[in-house]
Amino acid sequence: MKAKVRPIRLPAGRRVLVISDIHGNLPFFKGLLKKAAFSADDILILLGDILEKSEGGLEALHYVMELSRRYTVYTLRGNCDDITPAFVDGGRHIPAAFYPRYFAAWGEKCAAVKLAHAAGAAIEDPSDYPAARRAIAAAFPEELDFLRGLPHIYRNDDYLFVHGGVPREERLEELEAHGCMKNDDFLGQGHSFRRWVVVGHWPVTLYHPDIPSAKPILLSDRHIASIDGGCTLKVDGQLNALILPEEPGGQFSYLAYDGNEVMTALDPQAPSADPINIRWGRSRLEVLERGTEFCRCRHLESGRELDILTSYLREDEGGVYCEDSTDYRLPVTAGERLSIVRRTSRGTLAKKDGATGWYFGRLSAPGDGRSPSV
């Protein structure tokens, strides 16, 4: 399947918000739009991956469909939005062997599984698939048509929007669609562009070996903006909205929402030197000393030793791994507000301007409940 490329018109005087990788997290999506005071005067561009990885995918899809009827919304197809229509339509670009493993691993967090069950069909065994395909197609024609109709690329003279990435700006219609949707480590491929190319797909914290950060990455020398904040997939993830400049060539800005409680730091703290960000795909460990709350571990790739939350550890036949972890101490000034990820007996895992790290000072009593990211 070749990439579907469509023009996009962004009239002057209208604010343009770009959001990617909602992954079924409707509360984050609504929270971010509320924080942005989204209105009919704005243009909303969704870079894809509305679905998968959480049980709220169908609700999120319905909300996007409703927004598309009422507002100016441009939505792209991400690789996760492609799974269900590809399954129903028998798309050959996804190997048949993919589905049993994926459905078993994600269960109701997979849209196809949830839709099949909602339609009264089993989908637990490949022998179930023909009936499941027919049941989903009969029960959810509008949803499937919406997903099938999504393009892979939007472009104009100044911007190119795509979920995963592209190798070039010319002859885009000749590109394979799957490579535009699933394009891992796009920033690491060395591309530079004339237009600004805005992508999601790859959580931006994976690009940071030292300080975990979920804020958008803007590479002005290469004209690339990468905005996936790890919503749903990361314990400390957030949903980002990149705000395009009023005029091409101007300054980008962004807003974020992470749903965490926000508290005020009462004590100053200096940042730590030489921190490490242990990330997905590079997180294999050796456990040196087990504890109830923390385990002393050696990170095998770097050789670094650090304490990691016991609840962040997982083990399989390949060894011991962890959720994204760090030993970074946030730089904090007394009076600053922090987004609280996790409170422990030793200190607080917190976020500041998208960066995750530890804070060991005192915190004020929460006064405003669950608030947007700071």
Side-chain angles (χ1 to χ4, degrees), residues 116-252:
H117 290 166
I123 196 172
E124 282 63 47
D125 185 89
S127 63
D128 299 327
Y129 292 176
R133 290 185 172 102
R134 292 192 296 271
I136 294 171
F140 299 99
E142 185 179 0
E143 291 84 352
L144 288 169
D145 284 347
F146 181 84
L147 293 170
R148 291 179 184 121
L150 297 178
H152 305 100
I153 297 170
Y154 282 114
R155 69 175 172 192
N156 65 15
D157 289 341
D158 302 300
Y159 295 99
L160 190 155
F161 303 97
V162 59
H163 179 70
V166 290
R168 60 177 186 260
E169 295 176 74
E170 303 79 23
R171 308 187 319 280
L172 295 172
E173 294 82 356
E174 300 174 12
L175 295 174
E176 292 295 328
H178 190 69
C180 298
M181 293 183 288
K182 184 171 173 55
N183 194 322
D184 297 350
D185 190 21
F186 179 60
L187 299 191
Q189 297 168 20
H191 302 300
S192 297
F193 301 94
R194 178 189 65 79
R195 297 176 178 88
W196 272 94
V197 175
V198 186
V199 302
H201 179 63
W202 195 248
V204 292
T205 189
L206 299 180
Y207 291 116
H208 299 290
D210 45 10
I211 299 173
S213 177
K215 68 188 295 185
I217 294 174
L218 300 172
L219 302 180
S220 57
D221 57 331
R222 296 166 58 186
H223 280 186
I224 299 175
S226 185
I227 69 170
D228 179 3
C231 173
T232 301
L233 299 180
K234 304 293 182 183
V235 175
D236 55 348
Q238 63 190 40
L239 191 60
N240 293 322
L242 184 71
I243 304 173
L244 301 190
E246 293 184 9
E247 298 289 339
Q251 293 296 311
F252 291 89

